[in-house]
Amino acid sequence: MRTSLTARRLTPLVKAALLLAGVTAVAFTGACGGTGTESADGKTVTVYSADGVGGWYKSQFDAFTKETGIAVNLVEAGSGEVVNRVDKEQSNPQADVVVTLPPFIQKAKQSGLLQPSGIDTAAVPAAAKDAEGSYVTLANNFLCFIANPAVDASALTWEDLLKPEFKGKLQYSTPGQAGDGTAVLVLLQQLRGKQGALDYLAALQANNVGPSSSTGKLQAKVDKGELLIANGDVQMNLTTVKEKGSKFNVFFPAAAGKRSTVAVPYMMGLAKGAPHKDDAIKLMSFLMAPAAQAKLGPEAFAVSPRTDVPAPADGGPAAAMTGVEVVPVDWNKVLTELDADVAAYQKATGS
């Protein structure tokens, strides 16, 4: 799920993010959701989104277009990449709706790239939305790892990932650029403390193939056996297995006999200067409505943030998450410390 950084106003935090993102080298993948890039009467909403929920998007965009006559143009990329592009286009905004992972959605707000949408989020808990209405959780999701079937991942620990057998066969997306990669650093900080996380990732560097701005792109490498281990997220990985028949297994490395993870939800906001603001708000309301949210489990292996939409008994990530502890994270605090943490990570790993 997701990639390089967003750049809001040019604070020191953003300057560091831009350097990490490698903005001149980033490429976006354009795809059409719904009926195409333009409806019969020319009405179109453009969504910039972290990758991973494409199947659910397609069905919901199709339904939205059928109901309203408004087409949806989807541009997918890594988490930070999404925000970075919105920032670059401030003088000529192209995006209407922004969907990305924490802490990048918080960075987008801090940079002035979002505006309150005014949509009804009363059924969403306060912890899953911005108090000022700049963003709301669209779908709940969780960090995980994936393993090629050649590896028995059922009992793998974090220490196991340091073994020589994984040299050149392991890769994780880059903290500070990818949402899931940042989540790896954050989880390790929770488990080992900040210095312990750096020490571990410095040791893991002996096996790491190298940086990756997108978590999603690692899936095919694990499926083909180019990699044996990579990070991912439950929703994206299980969806890929279902839709593409990918042959990899989801797992959670154990520490002290306990498997744990952190939530990495897809969060949605209205872009500042959205060229189709009113239609964008209609789309956001449509996606947050119970009917669309109820499809998150069966269509995307995700969990609705709405308190009135129960998780399906036979869909979603429930089976994969059995026995896994979800460690709470203050993403606003993560954002505040992100520059320093990424700089320390780069120094520790030599990246």
Side-chain angles (χ1 to χ4, degrees), residues 181-259:
T182 302
V184 170
L185 176 60
V186 169
L187 177 57
L188 285 167
Q189 288 175 338
Q190 301 297 314
L191 297 176
R192 296 168 176 257
K194 288 201 172 187
Q195 188 57 52
L198 294 176
D199 292 343
Y200 176 84
L201 290 171
L204 188 64
Q205 199 67 6
N207 290 345
N208 186 24
V209 170
S212 173
S213 63
S214 172
T215 312
K217 293 179 180 178
L218 302 181
Q219 296 182 111
K221 295 181 179 180
V222 176
D223 186 36
K224 296 174 184 176
E226 296 174 21
L227 296 173
L228 294 178
I229 302 289
N231 71 317
D233 64 73
V234 172
Q235 180 279 321
M236 177 176 64
N237 296 147
L238 293 182
T239 298
T240 301
V241 169
K242 175 184 176 181
E243 294 181 352
K244 298 183 178 180
S246 295
K247 294 177 175 60
F248 49 67
N249 298 310
V250 168
F251 75 101
F252 302 84
K258 182 188 298 184
R259 296 180 299 146

Side-chain angles (χ1 to χ4, degrees), residues 143 158 187 191 252-255 258-262 323-327:
L143 171 72
W158 287 100
L187 177 57
L191 297 176
F252 302 84
K258 182 188 298 184
R259 296 180 299 146
S260 56
T261 187
V262 293
V324 180
E325 177 187 8
V326 180
V327 179

